[in-house]
């Protein structure tokens, strides 16, 4: 795309029309820009349009957004996408222009160009863009001389964004080299502008400078502090160590000084607090990573932060400052310098002046409780509230208690009693005191490592439950003082292991009542409490609460759970649905329970199909359906038809209306239903079977595990139908496609194993050659541990089903002597890597049969191979998996799921039952020694010598022990 007046006019018109409220011209303009973006120099042309002073500001701003998005898609496109990368020559021109254009742009455009610059820097800086940092430094120097803080802050904002990578990436040599380059070039200019701005702030503050003068200066200092954090994150750089005094002296001033010109307005106070919070982050970083070097400044900073916190008001706009300041004191409290808290009266002052004020409920908490229950629960119950005042204040107390436990325990216990006494004098007016007391007990509870159990020294749990919590739970008004009710339910949930079963059962009816509370938080907490109680295990792993315990209240419980899902904003309440799933997993499900439950769940499912929004809710919804089908039909087969009648329309809706988010769930539920049926399979299922064999359905990777699960169900339940109408050939085409791809090869083996397990040999015989060809082709190029283990399991299954001779003959028919090659190169050496109870048994027995049957091992020239095979079998059977198998290096990192389609999600309750193909053989160790003992009698005195030569001494000893145990000597 050439830059000329025509291009300028065309692009200007397009960007103008993208702002049109009318859809048609907007769509035409967007389509035209999309087509133009495919041409070289498009990005450069748009950047030049942004820089054109004669063009309307709105058009230039729209163009700057388009430019940023163009770079996001095309600068370094994902290899799997169809995006065409920007040519290198155009990239170089863009990099040559963008810094100067950004600095001269209006604030809104400057923001977009700064983001675009950071996008480029993410991929190219510093190695492919060595000119960037010198240009930024040069521009910073010029702007500093001119006192142009708009440009200074633009440069610092860009540098801050670029340097953030030093906070989040793992320490590697490449990262440290990049960091050194940035430090060598930018550390000194950063300190220079920081000190210059500090002097300007002091001068303006002393002379009564206005907010207009101070605002850009404070912005600048906050950015300098954020860059300081990034450049110091990995380790303490020499430059910063040498100049620590300058940095710390100025930073402390911002914690101890007031700036009335700014702090008199909300915006100005937020600006000052933003700088103070950045300072607190920096000193916290130094306490965590450079404690020794920072020690000389610690006392002054600790005192400054403490004084600051005492004076920070409770308004939510100051939360970030309060949280970062308390975090610093928490870090100090757990460090070797905790003696700062040892002085007389310090801990009581911190408790009274900092902790209690920040733990007490505020109006903002009440608003969040009422207006956004999901966010309230996320912070309060799920522990995602370390960045809230309430939680971080309790973390400070925990930190101090790590060295002054008795003092903190006594102090907080007295505080709790005082709060409860205050509540008792006037419950209506002082209900927040009781809430505060409950919150302190719950938040200061100590969680046992690796478990769900908690403990506390602050109160006697059973006594506190009986006197403080029980009255709230027994209160018949489920809607009165909802925050207090939520706190009581949270206490019950947290200390559920400590509440004796008879006492807890008394409150089950109350928990069920609270499911009808109007407050979304209260009925969510009630559901969560019931769900967690049903998971409590006593010594020995036995469930504390059983179907017998909930049977008397089950109809009311299920009714109230489904009613709670009708409350506005709780239609997709994941806590309610998780509780439904858990109850159905414990309850004794009769027809009277199953019928309304399946009808209720399918209604919810049909509604969710219209607009799948909440992945967690929908997962528990499908788990609830799966567990209901599993437990109800397992007890009463006559319910299968009821479930099919209810579920089939919903499953057809998912498949027919292309609700792709739900495809994997639908396939797993269908597999579960197929497995419940007895042959012959009904026509409605066979119609699904035909759809299942369509290659298009298998294109989406996240569908594959669920499709394989469904295909396996059909292969087991309809083996005769499989051999009709070319279906087996279609299944083998699917197998071939799966096994050929690294990401799905294991799924391909699942299909293949099911074919071998469910079909007679005469049915599969015509296809065996093709199967081996496909496997050998993959083996030539992909000898991964996962593939080889899957191949061994398949060959073992083939052997136990159809004999070792058929195994060797069919393999050798495809490629001469290939069986011997695979046996020696792969089977013997990889056998000890097999995992899983059934897989270990299967491969051990198949390998034992090879020892006693296979000419490839019984030949006189194969003595070494025979000995090594026996050694591998002994290792497999006698050593724990963790001793035999290293962590699989081929396992990819699990990426964070950002929605439905990222990965397949297995339904626990619709899982396939693993069948043992060798049920008649109970013990593979016994099978080994009895087979060897009988076999060795044919050649006396031959095998003990081979065993002593080729078996590991530990394996020899274990083999002797087994022979004695089973009274089967090898002669």
């Amino acid at each position: 795309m050439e830059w000329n007046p025509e291009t300028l006019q065309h692009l200007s018109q397009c960007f103008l029309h993208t702002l049109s409220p009318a859809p048609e011209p907007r769509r035409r303009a967007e389509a035209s820009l999309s087509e133009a973006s495919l041409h070289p120099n498009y990005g450069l042309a748009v950047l030049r349009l942004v820089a054109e002073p004669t063009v309307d500001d709105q058009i230039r701003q729209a163009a700057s957004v388009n430019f940023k998005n163009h770079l996001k898609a095309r600068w370094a496109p994902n290899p799997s996408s169809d995006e065409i990368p920007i040519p290198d020559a155009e990239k170089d021109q863009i990099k040559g222009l963008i810094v100067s254009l950004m600095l001269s742009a209006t604030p809104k455009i400057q923001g977009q160009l700064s983001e675009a610059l950071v996008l480029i820097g993410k991929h190219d800086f510093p190695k492919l863009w060595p000119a960037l940092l010198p240009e930024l430094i040069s521009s910073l120097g010029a702007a500093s001389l001119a006192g142009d803080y708009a440009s200074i802050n633009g440069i610092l904002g860009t540098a801050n964004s670029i340097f953030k990578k030093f906070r989040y990436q793992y320490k590697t040599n490449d990262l440290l080299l990049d960091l050194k380059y940035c430090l060598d070039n930018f550390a000194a200019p950063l300190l220079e502008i920081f000190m210059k701005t500090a002097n300007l702030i002091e001068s303006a503050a002393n002379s009564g400078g206005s907010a207009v003068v101070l605002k850009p200066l404070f912005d600048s200092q906050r950015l300098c502090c954020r860059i300081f954090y990034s450049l110091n994150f990995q380790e303490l750089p020499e430059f910063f160590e040498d100049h620590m005094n300058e940095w710390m002296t100025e930073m402390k001033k911002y914690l101890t000084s007031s700036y009335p010109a700014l702090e008199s307005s909300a915006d100005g106070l937020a600006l000052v607090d933003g700088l103070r919070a950045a300072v607190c982050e920096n000193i916290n970083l130094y306490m965590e990573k450079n404690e020794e070097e920072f020690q000389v400044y610690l006392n002054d900073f600790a005192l400054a932060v403490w004084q600051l916190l005492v004076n920070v008001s409770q308004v939510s706009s100051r939360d970030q400052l309060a949280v970062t300041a308390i975090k610093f004191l928490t870090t100090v409290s757990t460090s070797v310098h905790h003696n700062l808290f040892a002085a007389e009266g310090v801990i009581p002052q911190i408790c009274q002046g900092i902790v209690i004020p920040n733990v007490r409920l505020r109006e903002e908490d009440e608003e969040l409780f009422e207006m956004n229950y999901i966010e309230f629960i996320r912070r309060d119950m799920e522990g995602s509230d370390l960045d809230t005042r309430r939680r971080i204040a309790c973390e400070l107390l925990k930190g101090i208690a790590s060295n002054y436990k008795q003092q903190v325990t006594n102090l907080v216990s007295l505080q709790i009693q005082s709060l409860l006494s205050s509540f008792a004098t006037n419950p209506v007016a002082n209900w927040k005191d009781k809430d505060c007391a409950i919150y302190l007990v719950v938040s200061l509870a100590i969680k046992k490592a690796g478990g769900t159990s908690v403990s506390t020294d602050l109160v006697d749990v059973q006594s506190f439950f009986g006197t403080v919590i029980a009255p709230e739970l027994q209160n018949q008004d489920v809607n009165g003082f909802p925050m207090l009710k939520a706190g009581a339910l949270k206490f019950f949930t947290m200390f559920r292991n400590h509440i004796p079963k008879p006492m807890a059962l008394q409150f089950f009816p109350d928990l069920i009542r609270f499911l009808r509370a109007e407050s979304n938080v209260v009925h969510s907490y009630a559901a969560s409490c019931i769900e967690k109680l049903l998971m409590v295990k006593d010594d020995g792993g036995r469930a504390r609460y059983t179907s017998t315990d909930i049977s008397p209240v089950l109809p009311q419980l299920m009714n109230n759970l489904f009613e709670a899902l009708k409350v506005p904003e709780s239609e997709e309440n994941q806590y309610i649905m998780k509780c439904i799933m858990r109850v159905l997993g414990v309850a004794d499900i009769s027809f009277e329970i199953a019928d309304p439950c399946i009808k209720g769940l399918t209604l919810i499912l049909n509604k969710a199909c219209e607009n799948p929004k909440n992945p967690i809710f929908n997962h528990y919804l499908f788990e609830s359906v799966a567990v209901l089908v599993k437990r109800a039909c397992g007890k009463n087969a006559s319910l299968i038809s009821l479930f099919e009648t209810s579920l089939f329309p919903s499953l057809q809706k998912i498949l027919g209306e292309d609700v792709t988010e739900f495809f994997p769930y639908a396939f797993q539920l269908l597999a579960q239903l197929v497995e419940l049926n007895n042959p012959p399979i009904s026509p409605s299922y066979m119609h699904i079977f035909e759809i299942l064999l369509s290659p298009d359905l298998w294109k989406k990777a996240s569908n594959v595990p669920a499709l394989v699960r469904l295909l396996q169900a059909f292969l087991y339940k309809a083996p005769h139908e499989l051999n009709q109408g070319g279906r087996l050939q279609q299944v083998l085409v699917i197998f071939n496609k799966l096994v050929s791809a690294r990401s799905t090869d294991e799924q391909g083996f699942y299909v293949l194993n099911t074919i071998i397990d469910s079909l007679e040999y005469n049915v599969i015989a015509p296809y065996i050659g093709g199967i081996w060809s496909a496997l050998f082709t993959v083996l030539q190029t992909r000898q991964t541990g996962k593939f080889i283990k899957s191949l061994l399991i398949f060959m073992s299954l083939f052997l136990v089903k159809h004999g070792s001779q058929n195994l060797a003959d069919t393999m050798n028919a495809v490629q001469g002597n290939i069986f011997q090659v695979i046996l020696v190169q792969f089977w013997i050496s990889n056998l000890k890597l097999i995992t899983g109870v059934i897989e270990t048994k299967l491969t051990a027995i198949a390998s034992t049969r090879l020892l006693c049957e296979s000419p490839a091992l019984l030949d006189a020239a194969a003595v070494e191979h025979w000995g090594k095979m026996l050694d591998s079998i002994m290792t497999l059977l006698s050593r724990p998996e963790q001793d035999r198998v290293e962590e699989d290096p081929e396992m990819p990192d699990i990426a964070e799921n950002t929605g439905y389609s990222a990965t397949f999600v297995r339904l626990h309750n619709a899982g396939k039952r693993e069948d043992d193909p060798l049920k008649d053989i109970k013990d593979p160790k016994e099978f080994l020694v009895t087979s060897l003992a009988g076999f060795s009698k044919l050649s006396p005195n031959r095998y003990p010598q081979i065993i002593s030569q080729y078996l590991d001494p530990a394996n020899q000893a274990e083999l002797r022990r087994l022979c004695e145990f089973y009274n089967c000597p090898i002669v």
Side-chain angles (χ1 to χ4, degrees):
M1 178 176 283
E2 289 186 29
W3 180 249
N4 53 42
E6 290 77 19
T7 301
L8 174 64
Q9 179 64 25
H10 172 69
L11 289 176
S12 297
Q13 285 301 309
C14 284
F15 284 119
L16 180 63
H17 289 311
T18 62
L19 303 172
S20 170
E24 194 49 44
R26 189 170 67 247
R27 276 197 290 267
R28 278 201 309 270
E30 287 168 352
S32 180
L33 288 170
S34 181
E35 184 187 348
S37 71
L38 301 174
H39 294 103
N41 294 323
Y42 169 80
L44 191 60
V46 175
L47 184 60
R48 283 178 166 158
L49 168 62
V50 172
E52 192 61 51
T54 58
V55 176
D56 182 79
D57 273 358
Q58 270 193 312
I59 293 172
R60 291 165 65 200
Q61 192 175 331
S64 69
V65 174
N66 178 272
F67 173 74
K68 178 192 71 179
N69 292 334
H70 177 70
L71 262 56
K72 189 181 292 184
R74 301 280 176 81
W75 195 272
N78 190 310
S80 61
S81 74
D82 297 327
E83 300 287 2
I84 301 165
I86 296 171
D88 288 344
E90 184 183 351
K91 283 183 176 181
D92 289 340
Q93 288 182 274
I94 289 171
K95 285 190 283 195
L97 291 171
I98 191 167
V99 174
S100 58
L101 292 181
M102 178 197 75
L103 295 176
S104 60
T106 57
K108 287 183 179 178
I109 292 174
Q110 186 180 73
Q112 296 297 327
L113 292 183
S114 177
E115 285 185 48
L117 193 156
V118 171
L119 280 168
I120 301 170
K122 182 181 175 184
H123 298 287
D124 288 17
F125 179 80
K127 291 181 181 64
L128 299 177
W129 199 358
L132 173 61
L133 204 53
E135 188 174 359
L136 288 175
I137 292 165
S138 170
S139 302
L140 183 63
S144 178
L145 281 173
D148 178 5
Y149 269 85
S151 293
I152 288 170
N153 291 345
I155 296 161
L156 291 175
T158 302
N160 179 40
S161 297
I162 291 170
F163 295 155
K164 274 181 185 175
K165 74 173 186 175
F166 298 122
R167 303 182 202 171
Y168 308 126
Q169 292 185 17
Y170 287 115
K171 187 185 289 189
T172 62
N173 286 337
D174 283 347
L175 186 76
L176 292 177
L177 283 172
D178 289 353
L179 176 57
K180 183 179 185 307
Y181 168 77
C182 295
L183 286 165
D184 289 348
N185 288 278
F186 204 79
L190 178 69
L191 177 60
E192 188 179 330
I193 193 68
F194 180 74
M195 295 305 296
K196 176 176 180 177
T197 309
N199 291 331
L200 290 173
I201 288 174
E202 191 160 350
S203 172
N206 290 338
S207 62
S210 68
V212 175
V213 172
L214 285 168
K215 276 182 179 179
L217 302 178
F218 271 80
D219 252 337
S220 180
Q221 293 302 71
R222 185 187 61 82
L223 288 167
C224 285
C225 283
R226 298 313 291 144
I227 294 169
F228 176 99
Y229 187 84
S230 297
L231 295 180
N232 281 270
F233 189 87
Q234 294 292 338
E235 53 191 36
L236 178 60
E238 186 180 345
F239 180 87
F240 284 92
E241 186 173 2
D242 292 343
H243 295 277
M244 195 182 293
N245 193 52
E246 292 105 301
W247 282 104
M248 294 303 149
T249 301
E250 294 307 320
M251 283 199 274
K252 193 182 75 174
K253 286 180 185 175
Y254 303 124
L255 301 182
T256 55
S257 304
S258 59
Y259 301 92
L262 281 176
E263 294 179 70
S264 57
S265 71
D267 286 350
L269 180 60
L271 201 60
V272 179
D273 279 357
L275 173 55
R276 289 168 176 155
V279 169
C280 289
E281 291 243 33
N282 287 342
I283 59 176
N284 193 53
L285 178 71
Y286 267 43
M287 264 307 295
E288 288 177 339
K289 299 198 173 191
N290 312 308
E291 193 174 331
E292 187 180 335
E293 294 84 355
F294 180 66
Q295 183 180 349
V296 66
Y297 305 100
L298 176 57
N299 280 12
D300 287 348
F301 271 110
L303 184 62
V305 170
W306 182 359
Q307 292 298 327
L308 183 69
L309 277 168
V310 170
N311 296 312
V312 169
S313 64
Q314 293 296 306
V315 294
S316 59
S317 60
R318 308 199 75 183
D319 283 358
Q320 187 195 5
L321 172 60
V323 167
T324 53
I326 295 172
K327 272 185 182 174
F328 169 71
L329 289 184
T330 304
T331 303
V332 175
S333 73
T334 56
S335 76
V336 296
H337 304 290
H338 59 78
N339 56 3
L340 289 174
F341 298 90
E344 183 72 27
V346 170
I347 295 176
Q349 286 179 52
I350 286 177
C351 188
Q352 292 293 337
I354 296 174
V355 175
I356 298 302
N358 283 296
V359 167
R360 289 186 67 86
L361 282 171
R362 298 174 298 164
E363 283 185 23
E364 290 88 342
D365 300 314
E366 295 180 70
E367 284 177 16
L368 190 67
F369 182 93
E370 292 172 10
M371 307 300 294
N372 188 348
Y373 84 95
I374 293 172
E375 179 61 17
F376 181 90
I377 293 173
R378 187 189 71 79
R379 293 183 184 185
D380 181 58
M381 188 165 72
E382 295 181 1
S384 301
D385 59 349
L386 277 178
D387 287 336
T388 67
R389 291 194 190 211
R390 297 192 94 188
R391 176 73 68 166
I392 199 64
C394 288
E395 290 300 309
L396 172 58
L397 269 187
K398 283 184 183 178
I400 298 171
S402 63
N403 290 294
Y404 306 97
K405 183 175 181 180
Q406 198 56 53
Q407 196 176 342
V408 170
T409 300
N410 294 341
L411 190 68
V412 177
S413 295
L414 287 171
Q415 188 68 52
I416 288 168
Q417 293 308 314
S418 171
L419 289 163
L420 292 174
S421 298
S422 170
F423 168 78
T425 60
N426 189 340
V428 173
N430 298 339
W431 67 271
K432 288 183 182 180
D433 288 340
K434 184 172 183 177
D435 173 87
C436 187
I438 295 171
Y439 189 90
L440 282 168
V441 177
V442 170
S443 297
L444 293 172
I446 300 162
K447 292 186 180 179
K448 292 184 180 175
T452 57
S453 187
V454 296
S455 63
T456 181
D457 295 322
L458 295 172
V459 296
D460 176 272
V461 171
Q462 291 184 32
S463 172
F464 192 86
F465 183 82
T467 58
V468 178
I469 303 301
E472 298 303 328
L473 299 178
Q474 291 168 332
N475 189 313
Q476 294 303 299
D477 181 8
V478 296
N479 296 316
F481 296 102
M483 295 192 85
L484 204 47
K485 300 290 195 298
L489 289 165
K490 185 181 172 187
F491 181 96
F492 195 176
T493 307
M494 175 74 82
F495 291 99
R496 58 192 178 276
N497 289 306
H498 296 266
I499 311 300
K501 181 176 177 177
M503 182 186 284
L505 285 175
Q506 289 177 26
F507 291 95
F508 258 68
D510 296 305
L511 295 177
I512 293 168
R513 275 191 309 107
F514 278 110
L515 292 171
R516 300 300 301 270
E518 293 170 3
S519 164
N520 301 91
V521 175
V522 171
H523 60 238
S524 298
Y525 277 22
S528 182
C529 187
I530 294 167
E531 188 264 326
K532 295 287 191 296
L533 280 167
L534 294 180
M535 290 184 70
V536 172
K537 299 278 193 296
D538 284 325
D539 293 340
R542 293 187 310 277
R544 182 179 295 182
Y545 303 95
T546 64
S547 58
T548 306
D549 298 317
I550 61 173
S551 286
V553 295
L554 185 59
Q556 189 66 53
L557 171 56
M558 296 313 299
N559 177 71
N560 285 12
L561 283 166
F562 279 104
E563 287 298 315
L565 289 170
K566 297 176 184 176
V567 177
E569 294 186 39
S570 271
E571 295 91 348
E572 294 193 0
N573 187 314
Q574 65 201 50
Y575 308 98
I576 302 287
M577 189 52 72
K578 189 177 185 183
C579 186
I580 290 173
M581 176 196 75
R582 192 73 63 206
V583 172
L584 291 175
V586 172
D588 186 7
I589 300 172
S590 62
F591 175 83
E592 290 72 25
I593 295 295
D595 185 49
C597 281
I598 194 62
K599 287 174 180 171
L601 289 170
T602 47
L603 276 174
I604 296 165
L605 178 53
N606 291 336
K607 183 76 174 172
C609 286
E610 294 170 14
N611 183 16
K613 290 180 294 191
N614 184 339
I616 299 172
F617 172 84
N618 290 327
H619 180 76
Y620 290 136
L621 168 61
F622 280 100
E623 284 283 16
S624 298
V625 174
V627 75
L628 183 60
V629 171
K630 174 182 167 183
R631 290 177 56 79
C633 296
K635 181 184 175 187
N636 184 356
S638 65
L639 288 171
I640 297 172
S641 59
L642 166 71
F643 282 42
E644 288 174 338
T645 303
S646 296
L647 281 173
F648 257 60
S650 299
L651 297 176
Q652 286 169 340
K653 181 184 179 77
I654 291 168
L655 299 177
E657 296 181 11
D658 212 29
V659 187
T660 54
E661 297 92 337
F662 289 171
F663 274 15
Y665 291 127
F667 298 141
Q668 290 175 85
L669 288 181
L670 282 167
Q672 193 182 17
L673 292 171
V674 169
E675 287 174 346
L676 287 167
N677 277 263
N678 291 316
I681 297 295
S682 70
S684 57
Y685 282 113
M686 291 312 296
H687 174 65
I688 293 168
F689 194 13
E690 297 300 332
I691 297 170
L692 177 63
L693 297 179
S694 165
D696 287 345
L697 199 59
W698 295 78
K699 287 180 178 176
K700 193 171 183 182
S702 58
N703 286 342
V704 167
L707 288 170
V708 167
R709 167 89 179 82
L710 179 55
L711 183 54
Q712 287 179 297
F714 276 114
L715 294 178
Y716 278 121
K717 290 292 182 176
H720 300 296
E721 292 87 341
L722 179 62
N723 199 28
Q724 298 167 2
R727 292 191 185 108
L728 180 53
Q729 184 62 48
Q730 290 175 278
V731 171
L732 289 170
V733 168
I734 290 167
F735 146 73
N736 209 331
K737 180 177 183 295
L738 294 177
V739 87
S740 299
R742 182 188 289 265
S743 60
T744 56
D745 56 6
E746 200 169 23
Q747 299 292 330
F749 276 107
Y750 293 161
V751 173
L752 189 53
N753 292 342
T754 310
I755 291 171
I756 296 298
D757 203 24
S758 58
L759 299 182
E760 298 295 329
Y761 186 74
N762 64 320
V763 174
I764 61 172
Y767 304 100
I768 290 295
I771 290 170
W772 288 124
S773 293
L775 294 175
F776 297 159
T777 300
V778 177
L779 187 61
Q780 285 179 329
T781 57
R782 192 193 315 143
Q783 295 176 8
T784 63
K786 183 177 66 160
F787 183 85
I788 291 167
K789 284 188 278 187
S790 297
L791 179 62
L792 291 192
I793 291 165
F794 166 66
M795 290 193 295
S796 298
L797 183 64
F798 190 105
L799 186 152
V800 301
K801 287 286 182 180
H802 306 302
S804 59
Q805 196 59 50
N806 268 336
L807 176 68
D809 289 349
T810 55
M811 291 173 71
N812 290 333
V814 174
Q815 188 175 332
N817 203 37
I818 187 70
F819 175 73
Q820 174 83 12
V821 171
I822 287 179
L823 184 66
V824 172
Q825 290 188 11
F826 299 109
W827 193 314
I828 293 171
S829 56
N830 287 281
L831 179 61
K832 62 190 175 191
L833 302 178
I834 299 297
T835 56
V837 175
I838 292 174
E839 292 85 351
T840 297
K841 177 183 174 183
L842 170 66
T843 52
I845 289 169
S847 302
T848 300
R849 286 185 54 178
L850 282 177
L851 281 180
C852 302
E853 296 174 9
S854 173
L857 288 174
L858 296 175
D859 188 277
V863 167
E864 181 181 351
H865 303 320
W866 192 97
K868 287 183 175 178
M869 174 67 99
L870 178 56
D871 189 55
S872 289
I873 298 171
M874 286 304 304
T875 300
L876 178 68
L877 291 177
S878 65
R879 299 187 193 174
E881 281 184 11
Q882 62 267 28
D883 293 347
R884 295 187 282 109
V885 184
E886 293 181 13
E887 214 169 292
D888 191 349
E890 294 157 17
M891 275 295 283
D893 289 335
I894 297 171
E896 181 181 352
N897 291 347
T898 52
Y900 286 106
S901 60
T903 57
F904 161 76
V905 180
R906 186 174 76 89
L907 285 175
H908 172 77
N909 290 294
K912 177 179 176 291
R913 193 180 79 251
E914 293 301 327
D915 289 319
D916 183 354
L918 294 162
K919 293 186 184 72
D920 296 338
I921 301 173
K922 301 300 181 189
D923 184 355
K925 294 179 181 178
E926 183 180 11
F927 181 82
L928 172 67
V929 293
T930 52
S931 299
L932 287 176
F935 171 71
S936 69
K937 290 175 184 175
L938 302 175
S939 305
N941 301 319
R942 181 181 181 202
Y943 293 101
Q945 184 182 349
I946 299 172
I947 289 167
S948 66
Q949 185 175 354
Y950 292 107
L951 263 67
D952 177 87
N955 286 342
Q956 290 185 46
E958 178 63 13
L959 182 58
R960 282 194 299 273
R961 190 190 70 79
L962 291 175
C963 289
E964 290 171 10
F965 182 80
Y966 293 109
N967 194 24
C968 295
I970 299 172
V971 296

